[in-house]
Amino acid sequence: MAPDLLGHGHSAKPRGDYSLGAYASGVRDLVAALGHDHATVVGHSLGGGVAMQLAYQFPERCDRLVLVSSGGLGREVNLLLRAAALPGAEFVLPLVCAAGLRDAGDAVWHTLGRFGLSAGPDLEELWNGYASLADRDAQSAFIHTLRTIVDGGGQRVSATDRLYLAGEVPTLIVWGDSDPIIPVEHGIAAHEAIPGSRLEVFEDAGHFPHRSDPVRFAETLIEFVERTVPADVDDDRWRELLRAGAPD
């Protein structure tokens, strides 16, 4: 299943809660509505933060955790996203996303390139995201989502103090070694903090390693699922972990 989160793609874009916790609850409800009690959860970028929140709120629903260039693992994030989270962005974004400027794609691509985004999957995916902000509802949802996790100084939400809990869940971390959005050092640090986790760094890949080398990504994901046993965390074990806290 590859859902469009609320406020994204073809999903509704109402005024509402765009926090990680709300997204995690929405994914939980979707999986349950489709008749599944649990699943391997894969999250990219913002989706990585949602995946970690899902595993934290509903550990019984998460068989495995796969984090791909994930947010929520450190402060640093590309200047472009920090700027979009600043006060007043809701007035600037409609101008930046005006139809005439979207049609002048070369100018936009050149501007994105100044923020360290080279041609290839990174720019293609960011262009698709930019093009999706064609109407005010999509722009509003984007800003509300961004401001729950990013401010002018960088990422404001961090799961680093709870990563020890992910040791109960088979965890795969995938990153591009040239990620211009979220540095690969975040993935390396998370791997060191999550007992038993696996780290795969894709060479010459940016923020979308699954696009840069889809065959390797698919093979890595399938192998990870086939060679690991789904997590089985009951309430007593979760309570024990929370009371013990992170190891020194």
Side-chain angles (χ1 to χ4, degrees), residues 1 3 5 18-28 31 38-73 145 149 155 157-159 162-163 165-167 169-175 194 217 221 224 231 238:
M1 295 177 289
L5 297 175
Y18 288 97
S19 65
L20 292 180
Y23 279 132
S25 295
V27 173
R28 184 274 315 267
V31 173
H38 46 84
T40 294
V41 184
V42 184
H44 168 255
S45 199
L46 166 68
V50 176
M52 287 188 287
Q53 190 69 29
L54 177 67
Y56 178 65
Q57 291 180 195
F58 313 109
E60 73 283 357
R61 300 278 187 175
C62 186
D63 289 344
R64 302 170 187 83
L65 184 62
V66 182
L67 304 175
V68 185
S69 303
S70 177
L73 295 171
T145 300
I149 55 176
Q155 297 187 71
V157 176
S158 175
R162 297 194 299 269
L163 288 181
L165 296 168
V169 181
T171 301
L172 170 65
I173 302 168
V174 179
W175 226 281
I194 301 175
F217 179 79
L221 179 58
F224 171 69
W238 201 246

Side-chain angles (χ1 to χ4, degrees), residues 124-210:
E124 290 176 11
E125 289 293 340
L126 289 169
W127 174 260
N128 290 337
Y130 168 78
S132 73
L133 300 175
D135 61 76
R136 289 297 184 99
D137 288 342
Q139 294 163 16
S140 178
F142 169 74
I143 289 176
H144 283 304
T145 300
L146 186 63
R147 285 178 175 167
T148 65
I149 55 176
V150 173
D151 59 24
Q155 297 187 71
R156 56 194 298 258
V157 176
S158 175
T160 55
D161 62 332
R162 297 194 299 269
L163 288 181
Y164 73 97
L165 296 168
E168 299 295 307
V169 181
T171 301
L172 170 65
I173 302 168
V174 179
W175 226 281
D177 66 352
S178 302
D179 191 335
I181 304 295
I182 305 174
V184 66
E185 287 76 17
H186 290 197
I188 295 170
H191 168 57
E192 294 173 351
I194 301 175
S197 63
R198 173 178 171 183
L199 174 66
E200 291 284 338
V201 177
F202 284 28
E203 298 78 14
D204 301 319
H207 191 56
F208 300 86
H210 51 296

Side-chain angles (χ1 to χ4, degrees), residues 78 106 111 172 196:
N78 191 275
D106 289 343
T111 300
L172 170 65

